[in-house]
Amino acid sequence: MAYTFDWHLVVTGQYGDWIVEGLVTTLKISALSTVCSLALGTLVAVLRLSRVKPLEWLCMAFTEFFRNTPLLVQIFFWYFGANLVLPTFATDWLYKQDFEFAAGAIALTVYTAAFIAEDIRSGIFAIPKTQLEASRACGLSFMQAMGYVILPQAFRIIVPPLISQFLNLIKNSSLVMTIGVMDLTYMARQIESYTFHGFEAFTVATAIYLVISIIVSAGIQIYNRRVLHVTR
């Protein structure tokens, strides 16, 4: 019996609502993880250059561990082991919230932050050391010099690779469906289970991820033309 395509089925009615709901969840967890990973990655990068040996070693261990272990394993780690590594009050709060969503967001955050930290370090190394020395000579502390002088210039350099990391984060967010987060991929899988029209469901999901990627890539091009070229 020949397979009959039914695109209308997966984009309208209840199943269309599922796609929209999954897209919203994907955008939410991606946006939250993007903000948190940028903040954590910046902190790790700066502390690794602080010359305080315990902090330097801790941050180096953080980046090496999370960069060199699979994201899927980390997602399972936070989902099944959060209550073992986090304080009791933190796990109690997480269980009162959407625990699956929170575990997925934590995994995406720490994984992406490890890569962002290395990008930021590369950007800092691109700034002449004399600028940091001059800032310290003017009376600024290490953290003040980083915040007011070094990091603003470093971020200007590394925006393209940062956007690439955020784009990878959006695509990696599809893995949180493995712990029950009802994102876009999860909803496509549910539609396939209910209708046996998996080709249509996953084609629509793929198209949505593609559109998001194109929008982000367009943002990179706009930034390169309007910002980087102006500041050179």
Side-chain angles (χ1 to χ4, degrees):
M1 183 176 179
Y3 182 83
T4 303
F5 292 99
D6 190 351
W7 299 99
H8 187 266
L9 176 68
V10 299
V11 297
T12 60
Q14 177 185 3
Y15 300 127
D17 292 340
W18 287 6
I19 290 291
V20 173
E21 182 181 346
L23 173 60
V24 170
T25 300
T26 291
L27 294 178
K28 282 182 178 179
I29 198 169
S30 298
L32 176 62
S33 301
T34 294
V35 173
C36 294
S37 63
L38 179 60
L40 180 59
T42 302
L43 180 63
V44 169
V46 171
L47 291 181
R48 191 169 176 182
L49 299 172
S50 64
R51 296 183 180 178
V52 178
K53 288 302 181 182
L55 291 177
E56 182 181 348
W57 293 336
L58 178 63
C59 292
M60 182 175 65
F62 174 91
T63 56
E64 292 303 317
F65 177 82
F66 288 108
R67 288 176 68 211
N68 294 289
T69 53
L71 175 57
L72 184 58
V73 174
Q74 294 182 33
I75 291 173
F76 287 139
F77 170 80
W78 289 107
Y79 182 67
F80 292 108
N83 60 323
L84 300 177
V85 298
L86 295 178
T88 302
F89 73 89
T91 54
D92 289 343
W93 182 83
L94 288 177
Y95 278 113
K96 292 178 182 179
Q97 310 301 316
D98 186 343
F99 181 75
E100 291 80 7
F101 183 95
I106 292 172
L108 289 170
T109 294
V110 295
Y111 179 80
T112 308
F115 289 91
I116 289 177
E118 290 302 289
D119 288 337
I120 293 175
R121 277 211 318 146
S122 299
I124 292 174
F125 287 147
I127 307 300
K129 292 183 179 179
T130 53
Q131 295 201 25
L132 178 61
E133 296 169 355
S135 302
R136 297 300 300 276
C138 291
L140 296 179
S141 67
F142 174 79
M143 296 301 291
Q144 289 175 328
M146 281 290 176
Y148 295 134
V149 180
I150 305 301
L151 283 178
Q153 299 179 75
F155 275 115
R156 183 176 298 166
I157 296 171
I158 65 170
V159 163
L162 276 183
I163 297 299
S164 296
Q165 293 295 348
F166 297 150
L167 184 57
N168 288 333
L169 187 154
I170 295 171
K171 292 183 289 187
N172 288 336
S173 70
S174 62
L175 293 176
V176 299
M177 60 98 51
T178 57
I179 57 173
V181 178
M182 293 185 289
D183 71 328
L184 182 59
T185 305
Y186 180 95
M187 289 303 188
R189 180 68 181 85
Q190 287 295 99
I191 293 172
E192 190 276 334
S193 298
Y194 278 82
T195 66
F196 299 101
H197 284 271
F199 181 84
E200 295 93 320
F202 282 103
T203 298
V204 170
T206 301
I208 292 174
Y209 280 116
L210 179 61
V211 169
I212 295 173
S213 299
I214 291 174
I215 291 174
V216 174
S217 298
I220 297 174
Q221 297 301 322
I222 293 172
Y223 179 87
N224 286 337
R225 289 197 301 266
R226 297 188 178 182
V227 180
L228 290 183
H229 290 175
V230 172
T231 55
R232 286 174 182 171

